[in-house]
PDB file of all heavy atoms in Angstrom:
ATOM      1  N   ALA A1283       8.320  -2.587  -5.279  1.00 97.00           N
ATOM      2  CA  ALA A1283       7.681  -3.326  -4.194  1.00 97.00           C
ATOM      3  C   ALA A1283       6.310  -3.857  -4.590  1.00 97.00           C
ATOM      4  O   ALA A1283       5.917  -4.954  -4.192  1.00 97.00           O
ATOM      5  CB  ALA A1283       7.568  -2.433  -2.958  1.00 97.00           C
ATOM      6  N   ASP A1284       5.580  -3.073  -5.397  1.00 96.00           N
ATOM      7  CA  ASP A1284       4.220  -3.474  -5.793  1.00 96.00           C
ATOM      8  C   ASP A1284       4.160  -3.958  -7.238  1.00 96.00           C
ATOM      9  O   ASP A1284       3.136  -3.841  -7.908  1.00 96.00           O
ATOM     10  CB  ASP A1284       3.245  -2.310  -5.605  1.00 96.00           C
ATOM     11  CG  ASP A1284       3.654  -1.065  -6.383  1.00 96.00           C
ATOM     12  OD1 ASP A1284       4.794  -1.046  -6.912  1.00 96.00           O
ATOM     13  OD2 ASP A1284       2.851  -0.109  -6.460  1.00 96.00           O
ATOM     14  N   VAL A1285       5.257  -4.528  -7.723  1.00 97.00           N
ATOM     15  CA  VAL A1285       5.315  -5.017  -9.105  1.00 97.00           C
ATOM     16  C   VAL A1285       4.219  -6.045  -9.369  1.00 97.00           C
ATOM     17  O   VAL A1285       3.794  -6.777  -8.465  1.00 97.00           O
ATOM     18  CB  VAL A1285       6.703  -5.626  -9.390  1.00 97.00           C
ATOM     19  CG1 VAL A1285       6.948  -6.861  -8.527  1.00 97.00           C
ATOM     20  CG2 VAL A1285       6.880  -5.967 -10.867  1.00 97.00           C
ATOM     21  N   GLN A1286       3.761  -6.097 -10.628  1.00 96.00           N
ATOM     22  CA  GLN A1286       2.775  -7.082 -11.051  1.00 96.00           C
ATOM     23  C   GLN A1286       3.351  -7.936 -12.173  1.00 96.00           C
ATOM     24  O   GLN A1286       4.039  -7.422 -13.061  1.00 96.00           O
ATOM     25  CB  GLN A1286       1.500  -6.414 -11.563  1.00 96.00           C
ATOM     26  CG  GLN A1286       0.729  -5.643 -10.528  1.00 96.00           C
ATOM     27  CD  GLN A1286      -0.573  -5.101 -11.093  1.00 96.00           C
ATOM     28  OE1 GLN A1286      -0.912  -5.334 -12.246  1.00 96.00           O
ATOM     29  NE2 GLN A1286      -1.314  -4.389 -10.276  1.00 96.00           N
ATOM     30  N   LEU A1287       3.070  -9.225 -12.121  1.00 97.00           N
ATOM     31  CA  LEU A1287       3.409 -10.149 -13.210  1.00 97.00           C
ATOM     32  C   LEU A1287       2.099 -10.627 -13.821  1.00 97.00           C
ATOM     33  O   LEU A1287       1.271 -11.238 -13.133  1.00 97.00           O
ATOM     34  CB  LEU A1287       4.211 -11.336 -12.667  1.00 97.00           C
ATOM     35  CG  LEU A1287       4.468 -12.500 -13.636  1.00 97.00           C
ATOM     36  CD1 LEU A1287       5.280 -12.045 -14.840  1.00 97.00           C
ATOM     37  CD2 LEU A1287       5.175 -13.644 -12.908  1.00 97.00           C
ATOM     38  N   VAL A1288       1.907 -10.331 -15.105  1.00 96.00           N
ATOM     39  CA  VAL A1288       0.654 -10.655 -15.784  1.00 96.00           C
ATOM     40  C   VAL A1288       0.964 -11.536 -16.987  1.00 96.00           C
ATOM     41  O   VAL A1288       1.826 -11.193 -17.811  1.00 96.00           O
ATOM     42  CB  VAL A1288      -0.074  -9.381 -16.254  1.00 96.00           C
ATOM     43  CG1 VAL A1288      -1.417  -9.735 -16.880  1.00 96.00           C
ATOM     44  CG2 VAL A1288      -0.260  -8.402 -15.108  1.00 96.00           C
ATOM     45  N   GLY A1289       0.252 -12.650 -17.113  1.00 94.00           N
ATOM     46  CA  GLY A1289       0.408 -13.532 -18.263  1.00 94.00           C
ATOM     47  C   GLY A1289      -0.881 -13.637 -19.054  1.00 94.00           C
ATOM     48  O   GLY A1289      -1.965 -13.694 -18.472  1.00 94.00           O
ATOM     49  N   ASP A1290      -0.771 -13.633 -20.367  1.00 96.00           N
ATOM     50  CA  ASP A1290      -1.933 -13.749 -21.255  1.00 96.00           C
ATOM     51  C   ASP A1290      -1.739 -14.967 -22.143  1.00 96.00           C
ATOM     52  O   ASP A1290      -0.976 -14.941 -23.109  1.00 96.00           O
ATOM     53  CB  ASP A1290      -2.074 -12.480 -22.092  1.00 96.00           C
ATOM     54  CG  ASP A1290      -3.221 -12.547 -23.104  1.00 96.00           C
ATOM     55  OD1 ASP A1290      -3.802 -13.633 -23.273  1.00 96.00           O
ATOM     56  OD2 ASP A1290      -3.519 -11.521 -23.736  1.00 96.00           O
ATOM     57  N   GLY A1291      -2.459 -16.053 -21.784  1.00 94.00           N
ATOM     58  CA  GLY A1291      -2.445 -17.252 -22.613  1.00 94.00           C
ATOM     59  C   GLY A1291      -3.769 -17.499 -23.293  1.00 94.00           C
ATOM     60  O   GLY A1291      -3.869 -18.348 -24.182  1.00 94.00           O
ATOM     61  N   GLY A1292      -4.801 -16.775 -22.857  1.00 93.00           N
ATOM     62  CA  GLY A1292      -6.116 -16.903 -23.477  1.00 93.00           C
ATOM     63  C   GLY A1292      -6.719 -18.296 -23.412  1.00 93.00           C
ATOM     64  O   GLY A1292      -7.599 -18.629 -24.209  1.00 93.00           O
ATOM     65  N   GLY A1293      -6.224 -19.120 -22.490  1.00 91.00           N
ATOM     66  CA  GLY A1293      -6.707 -20.488 -22.415  1.00 91.00           C
ATOM     67  C   GLY A1293      -6.145 -21.394 -23.494  1.00 91.00           C
ATOM     68  O   GLY A1293      -6.543 -22.556 -23.611  1.00 91.00           O
ATOM     69  N   LYS A1294      -5.191 -20.869 -24.285  1.00 91.00           N
ATOM     70  CA  LYS A1294      -4.642 -21.639 -25.401  1.00 91.00           C
ATOM     71  C   LYS A1294      -3.166 -21.979 -25.223  1.00 91.00           C
ATOM     72  O   LYS A1294      -2.521 -22.485 -26.137  1.00 91.00           O
ATOM     73  CB  LYS A1294      -4.847 -20.859 -26.700  1.00 91.00           C
ATOM     74  CG  LYS A1294      -6.326 -20.592 -26.994  1.00 91.00           C
ATOM     75  CD  LYS A1294      -6.524 -19.901 -28.317  1.00 91.00           C
ATOM     76  CE  LYS A1294      -8.026 -19.705 -28.586  1.00 91.00           C
ATOM     77  NZ  LYS A1294      -8.272 -19.094 -29.904  1.00 91.00           N
ATOM     78  N   ALA A1295      -2.629 -21.661 -24.043  1.00 90.00           N
ATOM     79  CA  ALA A1295      -1.240 -21.976 -23.721  1.00 90.00           C
ATOM     80  C   ALA A1295      -1.122 -22.028 -22.212  1.00 90.00           C
ATOM     81  O   ALA A1295      -1.943 -21.425 -21.505  1.00 90.00           O
ATOM     82  CB  ALA A1295      -0.301 -20.903 -24.300  1.00 90.00           C
ATOM     83  N   PRO A1296      -0.124 -22.733 -21.680  1.00 87.00           N
ATOM     84  CA  PRO A1296       0.057 -22.747 -20.221  1.00 87.00           C
ATOM     85  C   PRO A1296       0.267 -21.325 -19.722  1.00 87.00           C
ATOM     86  O   PRO A1296       1.015 -20.545 -20.325  1.00 87.00           O
ATOM     87  CB  PRO A1296       1.330 -23.589 -20.036  1.00 87.00           C
ATOM     88  CG  PRO A1296       1.487 -24.345 -21.310  1.00 87.00           C
ATOM     89  CD  PRO A1296       0.903 -23.509 -22.381  1.00 87.00           C
ATOM     90  N   GLN A1297      -0.401 -20.947 -18.646  1.00 76.00           N
ATOM     91  CA  GLN A1297      -0.303 -19.570 -18.189  1.00 76.00           C
ATOM     92  C   GLN A1297      -0.504 -19.509 -16.690  1.00 76.00           C
ATOM     93  O   GLN A1297      -0.896 -20.486 -16.049  1.00 76.00           O
ATOM     94  CB  GLN A1297      -1.359 -18.700 -18.864  1.00 76.00           C
ATOM     95  CG  GLN A1297      -2.795 -19.051 -18.452  1.00 76.00           C
ATOM     96  CD  GLN A1297      -3.839 -18.253 -19.211  1.00 76.00           C
ATOM     97  OE1 GLN A1297      -4.162 -18.588 -20.336  1.00 76.00           O
ATOM     98  NE2 GLN A1297      -4.335 -17.203 -18.595  1.00 76.00           N
ATOM     99  N   LEU A1298      -0.220 -18.325 -16.135  1.00 72.00           N
ATOM    100  CA  LEU A1298      -0.465 -18.112 -14.721  1.00 72.00           C
ATOM    101  C   LEU A1298      -1.965 -18.130 -14.468  1.00 72.00           C
ATOM    102  O   LEU A1298      -2.747 -17.621 -15.261  1.00 72.00           O
ATOM    103  CB  LEU A1298       0.100 -16.750 -14.289  1.00 72.00           C
ATOM    104  CG  LEU A1298       1.612 -16.565 -14.441  1.00 72.00           C
ATOM    105  CD1 LEU A1298       1.981 -15.125 -14.144  1.00 72.00           C
ATOM    106  CD2 LEU A1298       2.363 -17.500 -13.515  1.00 72.00           C
ATOM    107  N   ALA A1299      -2.349 -18.728 -13.355  1.00 66.00           N
ATOM    108  CA  ALA A1299      -3.771 -18.771 -13.027  1.00 66.00           C
ATOM    109  C   ALA A1299      -4.307 -17.386 -12.701  1.00 66.00           C
ATOM    110  O   ALA A1299      -5.476 -17.091 -12.888  1.00 66.00           O
ATOM    111  CB  ALA A1299      -4.000 -19.707 -11.849  1.00 66.00           C
ATOM    112  N   ARG A1300      -3.411 -16.512 -12.209  1.00 83.00           N
ATOM    113  CA  ARG A1300      -3.839 -15.164 -11.848  1.00 83.00           C
ATOM    114  C   ARG A1300      -2.630 -14.238 -11.874  1.00 83.00           C
ATOM    115  O   ARG A1300      -1.486 -14.691 -11.956  1.00 83.00           O
ATOM    116  CB  ARG A1300      -4.463 -15.161 -10.453  1.00 83.00           C
ATOM    117  CG  ARG A1300      -3.569 -15.762  -9.390  1.00 83.00           C
ATOM    118  CD  ARG A1300      -4.236 -15.856  -8.036  1.00 83.00           C
ATOM    119  NE  ARG A1300      -3.413 -16.593  -7.074  1.00 83.00           N
ATOM    120  CZ  ARG A1300      -2.361 -16.099  -6.432  1.00 83.00           C
ATOM    121  NH1 ARG A1300      -1.980 -14.850  -6.676  1.00 83.00           N
ATOM    122  NH2 ARG A1300      -1.680 -16.835  -5.573  1.00 83.00           N
ATOM    123  N   THR A1301      -2.886 -12.958 -11.775  1.00 92.00           N
ATOM    124  CA  THR A1301      -1.804 -11.986 -11.694  1.00 92.00           C
ATOM    125  C   THR A1301      -1.072 -12.145 -10.364  1.00 92.00           C
ATOM    126  O   THR A1301      -1.687 -12.336  -9.321  1.00 92.00           O
ATOM    127  CB  THR A1301      -2.369 -10.560 -11.801  1.00 92.00           C
ATOM    128  OG1 THR A1301      -3.029 -10.419 -13.061  1.00 92.00           O
ATOM    129  CG2 THR A1301      -1.262  -9.523 -11.706  1.00 92.00           C
ATOM    130  N   VAL A1302       0.262 -12.062 -10.419  1.00 96.00           N
ATOM    131  CA  VAL A1302       1.094 -12.178  -9.219  1.00 96.00           C
ATOM    132  C   VAL A1302       1.528 -10.776  -8.798  1.00 96.00           C
ATOM    133  O   VAL A1302       1.977  -9.980  -9.628  1.00 96.00           O
ATOM    134  CB  VAL A1302       2.320 -13.068  -9.480  1.00 96.00           C
ATOM    135  CG1 VAL A1302       3.167 -13.207  -8.211  1.00 96.00           C
ATOM    136  CG2 VAL A1302       1.879 -14.444  -9.983  1.00 96.00           C
ATOM    137  N   HIS A1303       1.406 -10.473  -7.499  1.00 96.00           N
ATOM    138  CA  HIS A1303       1.724  -9.143  -6.983  1.00 96.00           C
ATOM    139  C   HIS A1303       2.874  -9.224  -5.980  1.00 96.00           C
ATOM    140  O   HIS A1303       2.984 -10.189  -5.213  1.00 96.00           O
ATOM    141  CB  HIS A1303       0.501  -8.537  -6.274  1.00 96.00           C
ATOM    142  CG  HIS A1303      -0.690  -8.346  -7.162  1.00 96.00           C
ATOM    143  ND1 HIS A1303      -0.937  -7.175  -7.843  1.00 96.00           N
ATOM    144  CD2 HIS A1303      -1.695  -9.185  -7.478  1.00 96.00           C
ATOM    145  CE1 HIS A1303      -2.063  -7.303  -8.531  1.00 96.00           C
ATOM    146  NE2 HIS A1303      -2.539  -8.510  -8.331  1.00 96.00           N
ATOM    147  N   GLY A1304       3.697  -8.175  -5.960  1.00 97.00           N
ATOM    148  CA  GLY A1304       4.735  -8.048  -4.939  1.00 97.00           C
ATOM    149  C   GLY A1304       6.079  -8.561  -5.386  1.00 97.00           C
ATOM    150  O   GLY A1304       6.179  -9.574  -6.080  1.00 97.00           O
ATOM    151  N   ALA A1305       7.139  -7.842  -4.985  1.00 97.00           N
ATOM    152  CA  ALA A1305       8.485  -8.148  -5.462  1.00 97.00           C
ATOM    153  C   ALA A1305       8.934  -9.558  -5.103  1.00 97.00           C
ATOM    154  O   ALA A1305       9.509 -10.273  -5.930  1.00 97.00           O
ATOM    155  CB  ALA A1305       9.476  -7.121  -4.901  1.00 97.00           C
ATOM    156  N   ASP A1306       8.692  -9.986  -3.873  1.00 97.00           N
ATOM    157  CA  ASP A1306       9.173 -11.307  -3.463  1.00 97.00           C
ATOM    158  C   ASP A1306       8.467 -12.421  -4.225  1.00 97.00           C
ATOM    159  O   ASP A1306       9.113 -13.344  -4.743  1.00 97.00           O
ATOM    160  CB  ASP A1306       8.975 -11.499  -1.956  1.00 97.00           C
ATOM    161  CG  ASP A1306       9.596 -12.803  -1.464  1.00 97.00           C
ATOM    162  OD1 ASP A1306      10.832 -12.929  -1.539  1.00 97.00           O
ATOM    163  OD2 ASP A1306       8.833 -13.688  -1.044  1.00 97.00           O
ATOM    164  N   LYS A1307       7.131 -12.344  -4.317  1.00 97.00           N
ATOM    165  CA  LYS A1307       6.376 -13.386  -5.015  1.00 97.00           C
ATOM    166  C   LYS A1307       6.723 -13.420  -6.503  1.00 97.00           C
ATOM    167  O   LYS A1307       6.915 -14.501  -7.084  1.00 97.00           O
ATOM    168  CB  LYS A1307       4.882 -13.166  -4.822  1.00 97.00           C
ATOM    169  CG  LYS A1307       4.378 -13.470  -3.422  1.00 97.00           C
ATOM    170  CD  LYS A1307       2.866 -13.291  -3.324  1.00 97.00           C
ATOM    171  CE  LYS A1307       2.372 -13.624  -1.931  1.00 97.00           C
ATOM    172  NZ  LYS A1307       0.900 -13.425  -1.822  1.00 97.00           N
ATOM    173  N   VAL A1308       6.799 -12.247  -7.121  1.00 97.00           N
ATOM    174  CA  VAL A1308       7.117 -12.200  -8.557  1.00 97.00           C
ATOM    175  C   VAL A1308       8.513 -12.744  -8.801  1.00 97.00           C
ATOM    176  O   VAL A1308       8.743 -13.524  -9.739  1.00 97.00           O
ATOM    177  CB  VAL A1308       6.970 -10.764  -9.099  1.00 97.00           C
ATOM    178  CG1 VAL A1308       7.534 -10.668 -10.517  1.00 97.00           C
ATOM    179  CG2 VAL A1308       5.500 -10.337  -9.091  1.00 97.00           C
ATOM    180  N   ALA A1309       9.474 -12.335  -7.982  1.00 97.00           N
ATOM    181  CA  ALA A1309      10.850 -12.819  -8.152  1.00 97.00           C
ATOM    182  C   ALA A1309      10.913 -14.337  -8.058  1.00 97.00           C
ATOM    183  O   ALA A1309      11.606 -14.998  -8.843  1.00 97.00           O
ATOM    184  CB  ALA A1309      11.758 -12.176  -7.111  1.00 97.00           C
ATOM    185  N   ARG A1310      10.184 -14.903  -7.116  1.00 96.00           N
ATOM    186  CA  ARG A1310      10.196 -16.360  -6.944  1.00 96.00           C
ATOM    187  C   ARG A1310       9.560 -17.077  -8.135  1.00 96.00           C
ATOM    188  O   ARG A1310      10.071 -18.099  -8.599  1.00 96.00           O
ATOM    189  CB  ARG A1310       9.481 -16.747  -5.645  1.00 96.00           C
ATOM    190  CG  ARG A1310      10.241 -16.355  -4.391  1.00 96.00           C
ATOM    191  CD  ARG A1310       9.517 -16.779  -3.127  1.00 96.00           C
ATOM    192  NE  ARG A1310      10.232 -16.350  -1.939  1.00 96.00           N
ATOM    193  CZ  ARG A1310      11.278 -16.987  -1.427  1.00 96.00           C
ATOM    194  NH1 ARG A1310      11.706 -18.120  -1.995  1.00 96.00           N
ATOM    195  NH2 ARG A1310      11.882 -16.525  -0.356  1.00 96.00           N
ATOM    196  N   VAL A1311       8.437 -16.549  -8.627  1.00 95.00           N
ATOM    197  CA  VAL A1311       7.776 -17.168  -9.779  1.00 95.00           C
ATOM    198  C   VAL A1311       8.684 -17.118 -11.005  1.00 95.00           C
ATOM    199  O   VAL A1311       8.851 -18.111 -11.730  1.00 95.00           O
ATOM    200  CB  VAL A1311       6.433 -16.471 -10.069  1.00 95.00           C
ATOM    201  CG1 VAL A1311       5.866 -16.934 -11.414  1.00 95.00           C
ATOM    202  CG2 VAL A1311       5.426 -16.767  -8.959  1.00 95.00           C
ATOM    203  N   VAL A1312       9.297 -15.973 -11.246  1.00 96.00           N
ATOM    204  CA  VAL A1312      10.169 -15.813 -12.416  1.00 96.00           C
ATOM    205  C   VAL A1312      11.411 -16.697 -12.285  1.00 96.00           C
ATOM    206  O   VAL A1312      11.816 -17.378 -13.240  1.00 96.00           O
ATOM    207  CB  VAL A1312      10.560 -14.332 -12.583  1.00 96.00           C
ATOM    208  CG1 VAL A1312      11.649 -14.170 -13.639  1.00 96.00           C
ATOM    209  CG2 VAL A1312       9.343 -13.490 -12.967  1.00 96.00           C
ATOM    210  N   ALA A1313      12.021 -16.691 -11.100  1.00 96.00           N
ATOM    211  CA  ALA A1313      13.250 -17.471 -10.900  1.00 96.00           C
ATOM    212  C   ALA A1313      12.987 -18.968 -11.015  1.00 96.00           C
ATOM    213  O   ALA A1313      13.878 -19.740 -11.388  1.00 96.00           O
ATOM    214  CB  ALA A1313      13.850 -17.147  -9.528  1.00 96.00           C
ATOM    215  N   ARG A1314      11.772 -19.404 -10.688  1.00 94.00           N
ATOM    216  CA  ARG A1314      11.435 -20.832 -10.767  1.00 94.00           C
ATOM    217  C   ARG A1314      11.082 -21.277 -12.187  1.00 94.00           C
ATOM    218  O   ARG A1314      11.433 -22.392 -12.602  1.00 94.00           O
ATOM    219  CB  ARG A1314      10.255 -21.122  -9.835  1.00 94.00           C
ATOM    220  CG  ARG A1314       9.843 -22.586  -9.824  1.00 94.00           C
ATOM    221  CD  ARG A1314       8.761 -22.863  -8.801  1.00 94.00           C
ATOM    222  NE  ARG A1314       7.487 -22.215  -9.147  1.00 94.00           N
ATOM    223  CZ  ARG A1314       6.960 -21.191  -8.484  1.00 94.00           C
ATOM    224  NH1 ARG A1314       7.580 -20.675  -7.424  1.00 94.00           N
ATOM    225  NH2 ARG A1314       5.805 -20.672  -8.843  1.00 94.00           N
ATOM    226  N   ASN A1315      10.428 -20.414 -12.941  1.00 92.00           N
ATOM    227  CA  ASN A1315       9.845 -20.845 -14.216  1.00 92.00           C
ATOM    228  C   ASN A1315      10.712 -20.614 -15.450  1.00 92.00           C
ATOM    229  O   ASN A1315      10.558 -21.337 -16.444  1.00 92.00           O
ATOM    230  CB  ASN A1315       8.493 -20.154 -14.423  1.00 92.00           C
ATOM    231  CG  ASN A1315       7.413 -20.722 -13.533  1.00 92.00           C
ATOM    232  OD1 ASN A1315       6.885 -21.793 -13.778  1.00 92.00           O
ATOM    233  ND2 ASN A1315       7.090 -20.013 -12.454  1.00 92.00           N
ATOM    234  N   PHE A1316      11.624 -19.641 -15.415  1.00 93.00           N
ATOM    235  CA  PHE A1316      12.352 -19.339 -16.644  1.00 93.00           C
ATOM    236  C   PHE A1316      13.621 -20.166 -16.863  1.00 93.00           C
ATOM    237  O   PHE A1316      13.877 -20.602 -17.996  1.00 93.00           O
ATOM    238  CB  PHE A1316      12.670 -17.848 -16.719  1.00 93.00           C
ATOM    239  CG  PHE A1316      11.507 -17.032 -17.220  1.00 93.00           C
ATOM    240  CD1 PHE A1316      10.630 -16.447 -16.342  1.00 93.00           C
ATOM    241  CD2 PHE A1316      11.286 -16.881 -18.581  1.00 93.00           C
ATOM    242  CE1 PHE A1316       9.538 -15.718 -16.792  1.00 93.00           C
ATOM    243  CE2 PHE A1316      10.202 -16.156 -19.054  1.00 93.00           C
ATOM    244  CZ  PHE A1316       9.321 -15.566 -18.150  1.00 93.00           C
ATOM    245  N   PRO A1317      14.467 -20.427 -15.855  1.00 94.00           N
ATOM    246  CA  PRO A1317      15.689 -21.201 -16.127  1.00 94.00           C
ATOM    247  C   PRO A1317      15.459 -22.530 -16.827  1.00 94.00           C
ATOM    248  O   PRO A1317      16.238 -22.895 -17.738  1.00 94.00           O
ATOM    249  CB  PRO A1317      16.296 -21.378 -14.721  1.00 94.00           C
ATOM    250  CG  PRO A1317      15.854 -20.160 -13.988  1.00 94.00           C
ATOM    251  CD  PRO A1317      14.446 -19.913 -14.470  1.00 94.00           C
ATOM    252  N   PRO A1318      14.411 -23.312 -16.487  1.00 92.00           N
ATOM    253  CA  PRO A1318      14.212 -24.574 -17.226  1.00 92.00           C
ATOM    254  C   PRO A1318      13.978 -24.380 -18.718  1.00 92.00           C
ATOM    255  O   PRO A1318      14.320 -25.251 -19.522  1.00 92.00           O
ATOM    256  CB  PRO A1318      12.967 -25.175 -16.545  1.00 92.00           C
ATOM    257  CG  PRO A1318      12.945 -24.585 -15.174  1.00 92.00           C
ATOM    258  CD  PRO A1318      13.457 -23.193 -15.350  1.00 92.00           C
ATOM    259  N   LEU A1319      13.402 -23.230 -19.101  1.00 91.00           N
ATOM    260  CA  LEU A1319      13.193 -22.965 -20.524  1.00 91.00           C
ATOM    261  C   LEU A1319      14.526 -22.800 -21.241  1.00 91.00           C
ATOM    262  O   LEU A1319      14.722 -23.309 -22.352  1.00 91.00           O
ATOM    263  CB  LEU A1319      12.345 -21.708 -20.716  1.00 91.00           C
ATOM    264  CG  LEU A1319      10.896 -21.767 -20.214  1.00 91.00           C
ATOM    265  CD1 LEU A1319      10.221 -20.413 -20.412  1.00 91.00           C
ATOM    266  CD2 LEU A1319      10.109 -22.853 -20.948  1.00 91.00           C
TER     267      LEU A1319
END
């Protein structure tokens, strides 16, 4: 329920603007961003 999604791009790659918290928000971010890859 309190899962965190953390990305580290160091300003040198496209990355999340901030850490994402919560199962619903994380699931939506992951489901939206990975299939196109």
Side-chain angles (χ1 to χ4, degrees):
D1284 57 350
V1285 64
Q1286 295 184 2
L1287 171 62
V1288 184
D1290 177 351
K1294 300 184 178 183
Q1297 67 185 81
L1298 298 173
R1300 54 185 173 78
T1301 299
V1302 181
H1303 299 268
D1306 186 65
K1307 288 183 179 179
V1308 170
R1310 290 181 182 279
V1311 169
V1312 170
R1314 181 175 67 250
N1315 286 284
F1316 278 94
L1319 295 177

